[in-house]
Amino acid sequence: MNVTASASHSPWIAPSILSADFARLGDEVTAVLAAGADLIHFDVMDNHYVPNLTIGPLVCKALRKHGITAPIDVHLMVKPVDRIIPDFAAAGATYISIHPEATEHVDRSLQIIREHGCRSGLVLNPATPLDWLNHVLDKLDFVLLMSVNPGFGGQEFIESALPKIERTRAIIDRSGLPIRLEVDGGVKIDNIGRIARAGADMFVAGSAIFGSGDYAKTIAAMRTEIAAANA
């Protein structure tokens, strides 16, 4: 697929492999892409910045070797973060996002992402202010808003994220820059329409997809809700 951003973005659904069956990860990713997913989301946690430990660049590299060609969206919940960015870029990441709290120099970290050939994103937790965007918007290809506190899958969507999505969309639109707006945390069929209506165009869903009995049916239902919200 073409990952070049445009002024008018089609909605992308990004299943998070945090909820996949890791004993069958290659097959799981192949299946969810065949079911209609646009890209694959990696939740990288270090048991330091967040209270959980997940995966590293070797898993990304293994999926590329397995034959996965779709974009891979790497969300780095690690501190310090700069050291690991080049490793994920070399392993085949397409998008890499960082938290401002995880680096001493946000601008520099975003530059490192782009210097290694990846699209750069800034992640804002539920209580992280939008003020960060005032200083680095020109360094961003996407903004990722967390609608749960990072660290674990399967959490409930925090409703206060909706007005924050709206405010972020307004900031992006005023900038005129081709920046995508991604939302991660508690995204399900029954709330994805409201999230889309608030202004998101990238949707991370883990347990809602991988925990369903039918990936294609779930993704199709999500797209129906998004389309109705954008009608």
Short mmCIF file of all heavy atoms in Angstrom, two decimals, residues 85-144:
data_model
loop_
_atom_site.label_atom_id
_atom_site.label_comp_id
_atom_site.label_asym_id
_atom_site.label_seq_id
_atom_site.Cartn_x
_atom_site.Cartn_y
_atom_site.Cartn_z
N ILE A 85 15.72 3.34 18.42
CA ILE A 85 15.11 3.78 17.16
C ILE A 85 15.81 3.20 15.94
O ILE A 85 15.16 2.62 15.06
CB ILE A 85 15.03 5.32 17.10
CG1 ILE A 85 14.02 5.85 18.11
CG2 ILE A 85 14.67 5.79 15.69
CD1 ILE A 85 14.07 7.36 18.29
N PRO A 86 17.15 3.32 15.83
CA PRO A 86 17.82 2.77 14.64
C PRO A 86 17.64 1.27 14.49
O PRO A 86 17.58 0.76 13.36
CB PRO A 86 19.29 3.13 14.87
CG PRO A 86 19.27 4.29 15.80
CD PRO A 86 18.10 4.04 16.70
N ASP A 87 17.53 0.54 15.61
CA ASP A 87 17.36 -0.91 15.54
C ASP A 87 16.02 -1.28 14.91
O ASP A 87 15.94 -2.21 14.09
CB ASP A 87 17.46 -1.52 16.94
CG ASP A 87 18.85 -1.41 17.52
OD1 ASP A 87 19.79 -1.07 16.77
OD2 ASP A 87 19.01 -1.66 18.73
N PHE A 88 14.97 -0.57 15.29
CA PHE A 88 13.66 -0.86 14.70
C PHE A 88 13.60 -0.41 13.24
O PHE A 88 12.97 -1.08 12.41
CB PHE A 88 12.54 -0.21 15.50
CG PHE A 88 11.98 -1.12 16.56
CD1 PHE A 88 12.36 -0.99 17.88
CD2 PHE A 88 11.08 -2.12 16.22
CE1 PHE A 88 11.86 -1.84 18.85
CE2 PHE A 88 10.57 -2.99 17.18
CZ PHE A 88 10.97 -2.84 18.51
N ALA A 89 14.26 0.68 12.92
CA ALA A 89 14.31 1.12 11.53
C ALA A 89 15.00 0.06 10.67
O ALA A 89 14.51 -0.31 9.59
CB ALA A 89 15.04 2.45 11.42
N ALA A 90 16.11 -0.47 11.16
CA ALA A 90 16.84 -1.50 10.43
C ALA A 90 16.05 -2.80 10.34
O ALA A 90 16.20 -3.57 9.38
CB ALA A 90 18.19 -1.75 11.10
N ALA A 91 15.18 -3.04 11.32
CA ALA A 91 14.39 -4.28 11.35
C ALA A 91 13.18 -4.22 10.44
O ALA A 91 12.51 -5.24 10.24
CB ALA A 91 13.95 -4.57 12.79
N GLY A 92 12.87 -3.03 9.89
CA GLY A 92 11.76 -2.95 8.94
C GLY A 92 10.59 -2.11 9.35
O GLY A 92 9.53 -2.16 8.71
N ALA A 93 10.73 -1.30 10.40
CA ALA A 93 9.62 -0.42 10.80
C ALA A 93 9.33 0.61 9.72
O ALA A 93 10.24 1.08 9.03
CB ALA A 93 9.96 0.28 12.11
N THR A 94 8.07 0.96 9.59
CA THR A 94 7.64 2.02 8.66
C THR A 94 7.37 3.31 9.43
O THR A 94 7.79 4.38 9.02
CB THR A 94 6.36 1.59 7.92
OG1 THR A 94 6.49 0.26 7.45
CG2 THR A 94 6.07 2.54 6.76
N TYR A 95 6.63 3.18 10.51
CA TYR A 95 6.29 4.30 11.39
C TYR A 95 6.90 4.03 12.76
O TYR A 95 6.86 2.89 13.25
CB TYR A 95 4.77 4.43 11.55
CG TYR A 95 4.04 4.74 10.28
CD1 TYR A 95 3.66 3.74 9.40
CD2 TYR A 95 3.73 6.06 9.95
CE1 TYR A 95 2.99 4.02 8.22
CE2 TYR A 95 3.06 6.35 8.77
CZ TYR A 95 2.69 5.33 7.91
OH TYR A 95 2.03 5.62 6.76
N ILE A 96 7.45 5.06 13.39
CA ILE A 96 7.96 4.94 14.75
C ILE A 96 7.46 6.14 15.55
O ILE A 96 7.63 7.28 15.13
CB ILE A 96 9.49 4.88 14.80
CG1 ILE A 96 10.01 3.63 14.07
CG2 ILE A 96 9.99 4.89 16.25
CD1 ILE A 96 11.54 3.51 14.04
N SER A 97 6.84 5.87 16.70
CA SER A 97 6.36 6.95 17.55
C SER A 97 6.98 6.85 18.93
O SER A 97 7.28 5.77 19.43
CB SER A 97 4.83 6.93 17.64
OG SER A 97 4.37 5.66 18.09
N ILE A 98 7.17 8.03 19.55
CA ILE A 98 7.81 8.13 20.85
C ILE A 98 6.97 8.98 21.79
O ILE A 98 6.16 9.80 21.35
CB ILE A 98 9.22 8.74 20.73
CG1 ILE A 98 9.11 10.18 20.19
CG2 ILE A 98 10.12 7.89 19.84
CD1 ILE A 98 10.35 11.01 20.37
N HIS A 99 7.21 8.81 23.08
CA HIS A 99 6.58 9.64 24.10
C HIS A 99 7.52 10.77 24.50
O HIS A 99 8.72 10.53 24.69
CB HIS A 99 6.26 8.81 25.35
CG HIS A 99 5.16 7.83 25.16
ND1 HIS A 99 3.89 8.03 25.69
CD2 HIS A 99 5.12 6.65 24.50
CE1 HIS A 99 3.13 6.99 25.37
NE2 HIS A 99 3.84 6.15 24.65
N PRO A 100 7.03 11.99 24.65
CA PRO A 100 7.92 13.09 25.04
C PRO A 100 8.57 12.88 26.40
O PRO A 100 9.69 13.33 26.64
CB PRO A 100 6.99 14.32 25.04
CG PRO A 100 5.60 13.78 25.15
CD PRO A 100 5.64 12.46 24.45
N GLU A 101 7.88 12.15 27.29
CA GLU A 101 8.44 11.90 28.63
C GLU A 101 9.61 10.93 28.60
O GLU A 101 10.33 10.80 29.59
CB GLU A 101 7.35 11.34 29.56
CG GLU A 101 6.14 12.23 29.73
CD GLU A 101 5.02 11.91 28.75
OE1 GLU A 101 5.29 11.22 27.74
OE2 GLU A 101 3.88 12.35 28.99
N ALA A 102 9.79 10.23 27.47
CA ALA A 102 10.81 9.18 27.39
C ALA A 102 12.12 9.65 26.77
O ALA A 102 13.02 8.84 26.55
CB ALA A 102 10.26 8.00 26.59
N THR A 103 12.23 10.95 26.49
CA THR A 103 13.46 11.46 25.88
C THR A 103 13.79 12.82 26.47
O THR A 103 12.90 13.59 26.84
CB THR A 103 13.32 11.56 24.35
OG1 THR A 103 14.50 12.15 23.81
CG2 THR A 103 12.12 12.39 23.95
N GLU A 104 15.07 13.12 26.52
CA GLU A 104 15.51 14.44 27.00
C GLU A 104 15.33 15.51 25.93
O GLU A 104 15.23 16.69 26.23
CB GLU A 104 16.98 14.38 27.43
CG GLU A 104 17.25 13.45 28.61
CD GLU A 104 16.52 13.88 29.87
OE1 GLU A 104 16.42 15.10 30.10
OE2 GLU A 104 16.05 13.00 30.60
N HIS A 105 15.33 15.09 24.67
CA HIS A 105 15.29 16.03 23.55
C HIS A 105 14.31 15.52 22.50
O HIS A 105 14.68 14.74 21.61
CB HIS A 105 16.68 16.21 22.95
CG HIS A 105 17.72 16.61 23.95
ND1 HIS A 105 17.80 17.90 24.44
CD2 HIS A 105 18.68 15.89 24.57
CE1 HIS A 105 18.80 17.96 25.31
NE2 HIS A 105 19.35 16.77 25.42
N VAL A 106 13.06 15.93 22.61
CA VAL A 106 12.00 15.44 21.72
C VAL A 106 12.31 15.72 20.26
O VAL A 106 12.20 14.85 19.39
CB VAL A 106 10.64 16.05 22.12
CG1 VAL A 106 9.55 15.60 21.15
CG2 VAL A 106 10.27 15.66 23.53
N ASP A 107 12.72 16.95 19.97
CA ASP A 107 13.02 17.33 18.59
C ASP A 107 14.10 16.43 18.01
O ASP A 107 13.98 15.96 16.87
CB ASP A 107 13.46 18.80 18.57
CG ASP A 107 13.65 19.32 17.15
OD1 ASP A 107 14.75 19.15 16.60
OD2 ASP A 107 12.70 19.88 16.61
N ARG A 108 15.14 16.19 18.77
CA ARG A 108 16.24 15.34 18.29
C ARG A 108 15.77 13.91 18.03
O ARG A 108 16.13 13.30 17.03
CB ARG A 108 17.39 15.33 19.30
CG ARG A 108 18.55 14.43 18.90
CD ARG A 108 19.61 14.41 19.98
NE ARG A 108 20.22 15.73 20.16
CZ ARG A 108 20.95 16.07 21.22
NH1 ARG A 108 21.14 15.20 22.20
NH2 ARG A 108 21.49 17.28 21.29
N SER A 109 14.97 13.37 18.95
CA SER A 109 14.49 12.00 18.79
C SER A 109 13.66 11.84 17.52
O SER A 109 13.77 10.85 16.79
CB SER A 109 13.68 11.57 20.02
OG SER A 109 14.48 11.59 21.18
N LEU A 110 12.80 12.83 17.25
CA LEU A 110 11.98 12.79 16.04
C LEU A 110 12.87 12.87 14.79
O LEU A 110 12.61 12.20 13.78
CB LEU A 110 10.96 13.92 16.05
CG LEU A 110 9.88 13.82 17.14
CD1 LEU A 110 9.07 15.10 17.19
CD2 LEU A 110 8.97 12.61 16.91
N GLN A 111 13.92 13.68 14.86
CA GLN A 111 14.84 13.76 13.73
C GLN A 111 15.55 12.43 13.50
O GLN A 111 15.78 12.03 12.35
CB GLN A 111 15.88 14.86 13.98
CG GLN A 111 15.31 16.27 13.87
CD GLN A 111 16.39 17.33 13.98
OE1 GLN A 111 17.35 17.33 13.22
NE2 GLN A 111 16.25 18.21 14.95
N ILE A 112 15.89 11.72 14.57
CA ILE A 112 16.55 10.42 14.44
C ILE A 112 15.64 9.46 13.67
O ILE A 112 16.10 8.70 12.81
CB ILE A 112 16.91 9.85 15.82
CG1 ILE A 112 18.02 10.68 16.46
CG2 ILE A 112 17.36 8.39 15.70
CD1 ILE A 112 18.30 10.32 17.91
N ILE A 113 14.34 9.49 14.00
CA ILE A 113 13.39 8.61 13.30
C ILE A 113 13.42 8.87 11.80
O ILE A 113 13.55 7.95 10.97
CB ILE A 113 11.97 8.80 13.86
CG1 ILE A 113 11.89 8.34 15.32
CG2 ILE A 113 10.96 8.02 13.01
CD1 ILE A 113 10.58 8.69 16.00
N ARG A 114 13.32 10.14 11.42
CA ARG A 114 13.30 10.48 10.00
C ARG A 114 14.64 10.23 9.32
O ARG A 114 14.68 9.80 8.16
CB ARG A 114 12.88 11.93 9.83
CG ARG A 114 11.38 12.15 10.09
CD ARG A 114 10.97 13.56 9.75
NE ARG A 114 9.52 13.70 9.67
CZ ARG A 114 8.90 14.83 9.34
NH1 ARG A 114 9.61 15.91 9.06
NH2 ARG A 114 7.58 14.89 9.28
N GLU A 115 15.73 10.47 10.04
CA GLU A 115 17.05 10.23 9.46
C GLU A 115 17.26 8.76 9.11
O GLU A 115 18.06 8.43 8.23
CB GLU A 115 18.13 10.69 10.43
CG GLU A 115 18.29 12.21 10.52
CD GLU A 115 19.14 12.65 11.69
OE1 GLU A 115 19.64 11.75 12.43
OE2 GLU A 115 19.32 13.86 11.87
N HIS A 116 16.53 7.89 9.80
CA HIS A 116 16.64 6.45 9.53
C HIS A 116 15.54 5.95 8.60
O HIS A 116 15.29 4.75 8.50
CB HIS A 116 16.65 5.68 10.85
CG HIS A 116 17.96 5.77 11.57
ND1 HIS A 116 18.29 6.84 12.37
CD2 HIS A 116 19.04 4.95 11.57
CE1 HIS A 116 19.51 6.67 12.86
NE2 HIS A 116 19.99 5.53 12.38
N GLY A 117 14.88 6.88 7.92
CA GLY A 117 13.97 6.51 6.85
C GLY A 117 12.56 6.13 7.25
O GLY A 117 11.82 5.56 6.45
N CYS A 118 12.17 6.45 8.48
CA CYS A 118 10.83 6.10 8.95
C CYS A 118 9.97 7.35 9.14
O CYS A 118 10.47 8.46 9.22
CB CYS A 118 10.91 5.35 10.28
SG CYS A 118 11.78 3.76 10.16
N ARG A 119 8.65 7.15 9.18
CA ARG A 119 7.72 8.22 9.48
C ARG A 119 7.69 8.43 10.99
O ARG A 119 7.67 7.46 11.76
CB ARG A 119 6.32 7.89 8.97
CG ARG A 119 6.29 7.60 7.46
CD ARG A 119 6.63 8.85 6.63
NE ARG A 119 6.71 8.53 5.22
CZ ARG A 119 5.68 8.49 4.40
NH1 ARG A 119 4.46 8.72 4.86
NH2 ARG A 119 5.86 8.21 3.13
N SER A 120 7.64 9.69 11.43
CA SER A 120 7.79 10.00 12.85
C SER A 120 6.47 10.39 13.49
O SER A 120 5.65 11.10 12.91
CB SER A 120 8.80 11.14 13.02
OG SER A 120 8.37 12.29 12.32
N GLY A 121 6.29 9.92 14.73
CA GLY A 121 5.08 10.24 15.47
C GLY A 121 5.36 10.59 16.91
O GLY A 121 6.34 10.10 17.50
N LEU A 122 4.51 11.44 17.49
CA LEU A 122 4.59 11.78 18.91
C LEU A 122 3.36 11.20 19.60
O LEU A 122 2.24 11.37 19.12
CB LEU A 122 4.64 13.29 19.10
CG LEU A 122 5.02 13.76 20.51
CD1 LEU A 122 6.47 13.41 20.84
CD2 LEU A 122 4.81 15.27 20.66
N VAL A 123 3.59 10.53 20.73
CA VAL A 123 2.51 9.89 21.48
C VAL A 123 2.19 10.71 22.72
O VAL A 123 3.09 11.05 23.50
CB VAL A 123 2.90 8.47 21.92
CG1 VAL A 123 1.67 7.73 22.44
CG2 VAL A 123 3.56 7.70 20.80
N LEU A 124 0.92 11.02 22.91
CA LEU A 124 0.49 11.78 24.08
C LEU A 124 -0.43 10.91 24.93
O LEU A 124 -1.48 10.45 24.46
CB LEU A 124 -0.22 13.06 23.65
CG LEU A 124 0.61 13.99 22.76
CD1 LEU A 124 -0.22 15.21 22.36
CD2 LEU A 124 1.90 14.41 23.44
N ASN A 125 -0.04 10.69 26.18
CA ASN A 125 -0.84 9.92 27.12
C ASN A 125 -2.10 10.69 27.51
O ASN A 125 -2.21 11.89 27.23
CB ASN A 125 -0.02 9.60 28.37
CG ASN A 125 1.06 8.57 28.10
OD1 ASN A 125 0.90 7.71 27.24
ND2 ASN A 125 2.16 8.66 28.83
N PRO A 126 -3.06 10.05 28.18
CA PRO A 126 -4.30 10.74 28.52
C PRO A 126 -4.11 12.06 29.27
O PRO A 126 -4.86 13.01 29.05
CB PRO A 126 -5.04 9.71 29.38
CG PRO A 126 -4.59 8.40 28.84
CD PRO A 126 -3.15 8.60 28.48
N ALA A 127 -3.10 12.16 30.14
CA ALA A 127 -2.88 13.39 30.90
C ALA A 127 -1.73 14.23 30.36
O ALA A 127 -1.37 15.23 30.99
CB ALA A 127 -2.63 13.04 32.37
N THR A 128 -1.18 13.87 29.21
CA THR A 128 -0.11 14.66 28.60
C THR A 128 -0.74 15.80 27.79
O THR A 128 -1.58 15.55 26.94
CB THR A 128 0.77 13.80 27.68
OG1 THR A 128 1.31 12.71 28.43
CG2 THR A 128 1.91 14.62 27.10
N PRO A 129 -0.32 17.04 28.05
CA PRO A 129 -0.94 18.17 27.35
C PRO A 129 -0.58 18.24 25.87
O PRO A 129 0.46 17.71 25.44
CB PRO A 129 -0.38 19.39 28.09
CG PRO A 129 0.91 18.92 28.68
CD PRO A 129 0.69 17.46 29.02
N LEU A 130 -1.43 18.89 25.11
CA LEU A 130 -1.19 19.06 23.68
C LEU A 130 -0.13 20.11 23.37
O LEU A 130 0.26 20.27 22.21
CB LEU A 130 -2.50 19.44 22.98
CG LEU A 130 -3.63 18.41 23.02
CD1 LEU A 130 -4.86 18.95 22.30
CD2 LEU A 130 -3.19 17.11 22.37
N ASP A 131 0.35 20.81 24.38
CA ASP A 131 1.33 21.87 24.16
C ASP A 131 2.58 21.39 23.42
O ASP A 131 3.22 22.17 22.71
CB ASP A 131 1.76 22.48 25.50
CG ASP A 131 0.62 23.19 26.21
OD1 ASP A 131 -0.45 23.33 25.60
OD2 ASP A 131 0.80 23.57 27.38
N TRP A 132 2.94 20.13 23.59
CA TRP A 132 4.11 19.59 22.90
C TRP A 132 4.02 19.82 21.39
O TRP A 132 5.04 20.04 20.73
CB TRP A 132 4.25 18.09 23.17
CG TRP A 132 4.68 17.77 24.56
CD1 TRP A 132 3.88 17.37 25.60
CD2 TRP A 132 6.01 17.80 25.07
NE1 TRP A 132 4.63 17.16 26.72
CE2 TRP A 132 5.94 17.41 26.43
CE3 TRP A 132 7.25 18.11 24.51
CZ2 TRP A 132 7.08 17.33 27.24
CZ3 TRP A 132 8.38 18.03 25.33
CH2 TRP A 132 8.29 17.65 26.66
N LEU A 133 2.82 19.77 20.86
CA LEU A 133 2.64 19.88 19.40
C LEU A 133 3.05 21.25 18.89
O LEU A 133 3.42 21.40 17.72
CB LEU A 133 1.20 19.58 19.03
CG LEU A 133 0.68 18.18 19.39
CD1 LEU A 133 -0.77 18.03 18.97
CD2 LEU A 133 1.53 17.09 18.75
N ASN A 134 2.99 22.26 19.75
CA ASN A 134 3.36 23.61 19.31
C ASN A 134 4.80 23.71 18.85
O ASN A 134 5.16 24.58 18.07
CB ASN A 134 3.14 24.60 20.46
CG ASN A 134 1.70 24.73 20.87
OD1 ASN A 134 0.80 24.49 20.06
ND2 ASN A 134 1.46 25.08 22.13
N HIS A 135 5.64 22.79 19.35
CA HIS A 135 7.07 22.90 19.12
C HIS A 135 7.61 21.93 18.07
O HIS A 135 8.71 22.15 17.56
CB HIS A 135 7.82 22.67 20.43
CG HIS A 135 7.33 23.53 21.55
ND1 HIS A 135 7.61 24.88 21.64
CD2 HIS A 135 6.53 23.24 22.60
CE1 HIS A 135 7.02 25.37 22.72
NE2 HIS A 135 6.35 24.41 23.31
N VAL A 136 6.86 20.88 17.75
CA VAL A 136 7.43 19.84 16.88
C VAL A 136 6.50 19.42 15.74
O VAL A 136 6.76 18.42 15.06
CB VAL A 136 7.83 18.58 17.69
CG1 VAL A 136 8.92 18.92 18.70
CG2 VAL A 136 6.62 17.97 18.40
N LEU A 137 5.43 20.17 15.51
CA LEU A 137 4.45 19.74 14.51
C LEU A 137 5.09 19.53 13.14
O LEU A 137 4.71 18.61 12.41
CB LEU A 137 3.33 20.77 14.43
CG LEU A 137 1.94 20.25 14.04
CD1 LEU A 137 1.46 19.18 15.02
CD2 LEU A 137 0.94 21.39 14.00
N ASP A 138 6.07 20.36 12.80
CA ASP A 138 6.72 20.24 11.49
C ASP A 138 7.62 19.02 11.40
O ASP A 138 8.11 18.69 10.32
CB ASP A 138 7.52 21.50 11.17
CG ASP A 138 8.65 21.74 12.16
OD1 ASP A 138 8.48 21.42 13.36
OD2 ASP A 138 9.71 22.24 11.74
N LYS A 139 7.85 18.32 12.53
CA LYS A 139 8.68 17.13 12.54
C LYS A 139 7.83 15.85 12.54
O LYS A 139 8.38 14.75 12.63
CB LYS A 139 9.58 17.10 13.78
CG LYS A 139 10.48 18.30 13.96
CD LYS A 139 11.59 18.34 12.93
CE LYS A 139 12.70 19.33 13.28
NZ LYS A 139 12.23 20.68 13.61
N LEU A 140 6.51 16.01 12.45
CA LEU A 140 5.62 14.86 12.64
C LEU A 140 4.93 14.44 11.35
O LEU A 140 4.50 15.27 10.55
CB LEU A 140 4.55 15.19 13.68
CG LEU A 140 5.04 15.51 15.09
CD1 LEU A 140 3.86 15.87 15.98
CD2 LEU A 140 5.80 14.33 15.67
N ASP A 141 4.80 13.12 11.20
CA ASP A 141 3.96 12.54 10.16
C ASP A 141 2.63 12.08 10.74
O ASP A 141 1.66 11.91 10.01
CB ASP A 141 4.67 11.36 9.49
CG ASP A 141 5.93 11.80 8.76
OD1 ASP A 141 5.80 12.51 7.75
OD2 ASP A 141 7.04 11.45 9.21
N PHE A 142 2.61 11.86 12.05
CA PHE A 142 1.36 11.48 12.72
C PHE A 142 1.46 11.79 14.20
O PHE A 142 2.55 11.93 14.77
CB PHE A 142 1.01 10.01 12.49
CG PHE A 142 1.98 9.01 13.08
CD1 PHE A 142 1.62 8.24 14.18
CD2 PHE A 142 3.23 8.79 12.51
CE1 PHE A 142 2.49 7.30 14.72
CE2 PHE A 142 4.11 7.86 13.04
CZ PHE A 142 3.74 7.11 14.15
N VAL A 143 0.29 11.96 14.80
CA VAL A 143 0.16 12.11 16.25
C VAL A 143 -0.62 10.90 16.75
O VAL A 143 -1.64 10.52 16.16
CB VAL A 143 -0.59 13.41 16.62
CG1 VAL A 143 -0.80 13.50 18.13
CG2 VAL A 143 0.15 14.62 16.10
N LEU A 144 -0.14 10.29 17.82
CA LEU A 144 -0.83 9.15 18.42
C LEU A 144 -1.34 9.57 19.80
O LEU A 144 -0.57 9.91 20.69
CB LEU A 144 0.13 7.95 18.56
CG LEU A 144 -0.34 6.74 19.36
CD1 LEU A 144 -1.70 6.25 18.92
CD2 LEU A 144 0.70 5.63 19.29
#
